[in-house]
């Protein structure tokens, strides 16, 4: 399958809704007014991955710029995204690109599309001279291990490369580090039980030494993914 990444357009909505339904069956999809709002406030931060032969939308990423000083680590996805509308987008004061969504169609996963979407995000951050990307990585595999380990133990095992999580291991491979662990990030998520890691990728072009120091020191350990870019 040949795939091209491009900025999203309003006309992509049916394809995005179909993609959501395939990735999260039975859950509400992005709504048309939300996707339109993203395009109104920050068109450069919205991407789709399109199958160049069939024109099917097989991936998407949605982002906004936050002034992180306005938020605590403990806030949840609805706070960071203004209920999915991105109307809190703040390019004047913000230096954090917030990754609100990334998804790849199940039949297209494992073919490098998620990686391509993240490469576009990093490119935009460098072009806009932003400091970092932050996101919440829901601990999708945690539910299976919840009886054995605390979420913290689970995350430490992922960082050390002893265990794979379908979401966080992917993010660690994209050069992200874990800053902290939060509960109640996504309500009604039986896979993660609501737990997520707040993760960060720093733009080395503009960062100062102090910018690397934020977050819980417990998670600042090297693992096999530490040198990922
Ligand atoms: C997470 C997701 C976006 C990854 O996209 P993808 O296109 O499958 O990922 P890629 O093929 O680009 O893989 C990139 C790297 O991550 C690794 N990876 C991807 N999925 C993985 C998994 N389930 N477990 C371990 N590693 C994984 C790949 O092996 C690859 O590693 P490499 O660079 O060493 O080759 C995709 O699986 C998805 O949409 N999942 C469901 C939605 C979701 O959880 N989104 C994140 C919400 S926070």
């Amino acid at each position: 399958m040949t795939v091209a990444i491009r900025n999203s357009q309003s006309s992509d909505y049916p394809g995005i809704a179909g993609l959501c339904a395939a990735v999260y069956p039975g859950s509400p999809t992005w709504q048309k007014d939300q996707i339109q709002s993203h395009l109104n406030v920050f068109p450069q931060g919205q991407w789709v991955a399109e199958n160049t032969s069939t024109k099917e939308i097989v991936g998407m990423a949605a982002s906004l710029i936050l002034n992180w000083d306005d938020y605590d680590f403990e806030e949840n996805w609805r706070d960071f995204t203004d209920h999915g509308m991105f109307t809190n987008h703040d390019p004047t004061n913000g230096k954090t690109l917030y990754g609100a969504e990334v998804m790849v169609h199940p039949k297209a996963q494992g073919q490098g599309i998620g990686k391509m979407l993240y490469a576009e995000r990093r490119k935009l951050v460098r072009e806009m001279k932003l400091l970092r990307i932050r996101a919440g990585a829901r601990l999708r595999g945690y539910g299976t291990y919840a009886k054995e380990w605390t979420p913290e133990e689970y995350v430490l095992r992922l960082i050390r490369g002893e265990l794979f999580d379908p979401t966080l291991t992917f993010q660690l491979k994209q050069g992200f580090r874990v800053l902290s662990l939060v509960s109640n990030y996504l309500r009604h998520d039986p896979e993660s039980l609501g737990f997520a890691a707040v993760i960060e990728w720093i733009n080395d072009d503009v960062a100062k030494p102090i910018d690397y120091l934020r977050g819980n020191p417990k998670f600042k350990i090297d693992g096999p993914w530490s040198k990922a870019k």
Side-chain angles (χ1 to χ4, degrees), residues 139 141-142 144-165 168-169 172 178 181 197 218-226:
L139 303 182
Y142 178 62
T144 313
Y145 296 98
K147 287 204 171 80
E148 288 171 69
W149 299 318
T150 63
E152 186 177 300
E153 285 165 339
Y154 178 74
V155 166
L156 287 170
R157 280 167 196 268
L158 294 180
I159 297 172
R160 292 197 294 257
E162 296 167 7
L163 203 67
F164 290 86
D165 178 273
L168 186 54
T169 303
L172 294 173
V178 175
L181 201 54
K218 270 187 195 163
F219 298 121
K220 291 193 184 299
I221 54 168
D222 280 334
W225 331 119
S226 307

Side-chain angles (χ1 to χ4, degrees), residues 122 125-133 201-208 212:
R122 289 193 295 266
V125 165
R126 289 200 173 100
E127 282 170 5
M128 295 185 75
K129 299 185 177 16
L130 298 175
L131 173 59
R132 59 200 169 201
I133 305 175
W201 174 86
I202 297 252
N203 178 6
D204 293 343
D205 298 348
V206 301
K208 300 188 185 76
Y212 295 88

Side-chain angles (χ1 to χ4, degrees), residues 89-221:
H89 174 62
D90 185 358
T92 308
N93 303 304
K95 51 187 181 177
T96 302
L97 188 86
Y98 184 72
E101 180 72 277
V102 60
M103 64 170 86
V104 172
H105 197 290
K107 71 183 179 194
Q109 290 176 8
Q111 298 178 41
I113 299 171
K115 212 187 235 184
M116 287 162 71
L117 288 164
Y118 261 103
E120 289 299 322
R121 276 189 174 155
R122 289 193 295 266
K123 191 169 144 222
L124 181 66
V125 165
R126 289 200 173 100
E127 282 170 5
M128 295 185 75
K129 299 185 177 16
L130 298 175
L131 173 59
R132 59 200 169 201
I133 305 175
R134 281 185 179 172
R138 67 195 183 97
L139 303 182
R140 200 169 148 205
Y142 178 62
T144 313
Y145 296 98
K147 287 204 171 80
E148 288 171 69
W149 299 318
T150 63
E152 186 177 300
E153 285 165 339
Y154 178 74
V155 166
L156 287 170
R157 280 167 196 268
L158 294 180
I159 297 172
R160 292 197 294 257
E162 296 167 7
L163 203 67
F164 290 86
D165 178 273
T167 298
L168 186 54
T169 303
F170 161 75
Q171 312 279 19
L172 294 173
K173 284 188 171 183
Q174 302 313 303
F176 281 84
R177 291 260 194 175
V178 175
L179 293 177
S180 81
L181 201 54
V182 293
S183 53
N184 300 315
Y185 181 72
L186 276 188
R187 291 186 304 171
H188 316 305
D189 181 12
E191 292 180 307
S192 69
L193 306 179
F195 290 103
V198 179
I199 55 170
E200 175 178 82
W201 174 86
I202 297 252
N203 178 6
D204 293 343
D205 298 348
V206 301
K208 300 188 185 76
I210 193 173
D211 295 320
Y212 295 88
L213 299 178
R214 299 188 176 89
N216 185 338
K218 270 187 195 163
F219 298 121
K220 291 193 184 299
I221 54 168

Side-chain angles (χ1 to χ4, degrees), residues 1 12 20-21 28 33 35 38 52-53 62 64 76 84 94 100 108 114 120 127 141 143-144 149 152 165 199 220 222:
M1 182 192 309
D12 293 322
C20 294
D33 61 332
I35 295 293
H38 306 170
T52 51
S53 312
L64 67 154
N76 62 34
E120 289 299 322
E127 282 170 5
T144 313
W149 299 318
E152 186 177 300
D165 178 273
I199 55 170
K220 291 193 184 299
D222 280 334

